[in-house]
Amino acid sequence: MNKLFVGFVVVLLIGVVGVYIFKQDTPENEPPVEEETPTEEMQPPATTLERSPLIEPTLPVDNQTVTSPLTLTGTARGYWFFEASAPVTVTNVNGMVLGQSYITATESWMTEDFVPYSGTISYTLPVGTTELAGFIVLERDNPSGLPENAARYELPVVLH
């Protein structure tokens, strides 16, 4: 009985190692992420995308004056999300975080196609400020933490 158990464990371990090696050799089915050189003012940890093939915000629009709480809508590739959500941040132009929240896929996100999303984010302007240039930063949810899986989209807005 003991030899049978040890044999079973050895076969199981060989199978797990084989699956791991196979997955490492399988290419991802994602389009390449466009890279952009970060500015000196702000060094983002992930790729910043302009008119991304991965995410297309519809509300708000570029340079729109917005107020808190802010409603976000658009579409993104299913793999932008993890468990149907992805982080969103409101920052000033220097990267200071003013608010954080999540967007949520409103249809099945287990696809490579675009799916609609929505979300709400609240932010607080610095004391004594009534209007401020900033960004809504939509980030690809990246539970792996691997830089090659990271991407972000910065939407310029006027915070009021």
Side-chain angles (χ1 to χ4, degrees), residues 5-152:
F5 178 74
V6 170
F8 175 75
V9 170
V10 169
V11 170
L12 183 64
L13 286 174
I14 290 171
V16 168
V17 169
V19 168
Y20 177 77
I21 290 170
F22 176 77
K23 284 198 163 259
Q24 294 298 317
D25 292 338
T26 304
E28 300 258 333
N29 291 328
E30 299 178 13
V33 176
E34 298 174 17
E35 293 192 26
E36 178 181 294
T37 305
T39 64
E40 288 182 20
E41 283 183 353
M42 186 166 44
Q43 298 290 325
T47 302
T48 300
L49 304 171
E50 290 186 28
R51 297 301 159 244
S52 169
L54 302 177
I55 188 164
E56 297 176 353
T58 55
L59 187 67
V61 297
D62 284 357
N63 301 309
Q64 181 177 341
T65 298
V66 297
T67 57
S68 181
L70 173 61
T71 299
L72 307 166
T73 61
T75 59
R77 299 274 182 187
Y79 47 83
W80 187 267
F81 305 97
F82 179 73
E83 298 297 332
S85 71
V88 60
T89 307
V90 174
T91 69
N92 70 8
V93 292
N94 295 320
M96 180 178 150
V97 175
L98 305 173
Q100 294 178 309
S101 188
Y102 290 88
I103 56 172
T104 305
T106 58
E107 294 179 9
S108 177
W109 63 279
M110 300 288 287
T111 179
E112 293 183 11
D113 295 330
F114 279 92
V115 295
Y117 69 80
S118 66
T120 303
I121 187 167
S122 296
Y123 59 89
T124 305
L125 295 176
V127 175
T129 306
T130 58
E131 193 170 270
L132 183 67
F135 295 99
I136 297 168
V137 182
L138 299 150
E139 294 186 67
R140 180 178 178 189
D141 203 338
N142 182 14
S144 70
L146 298 172
E148 61 266 24
N149 293 335
R152 62 193 280 145

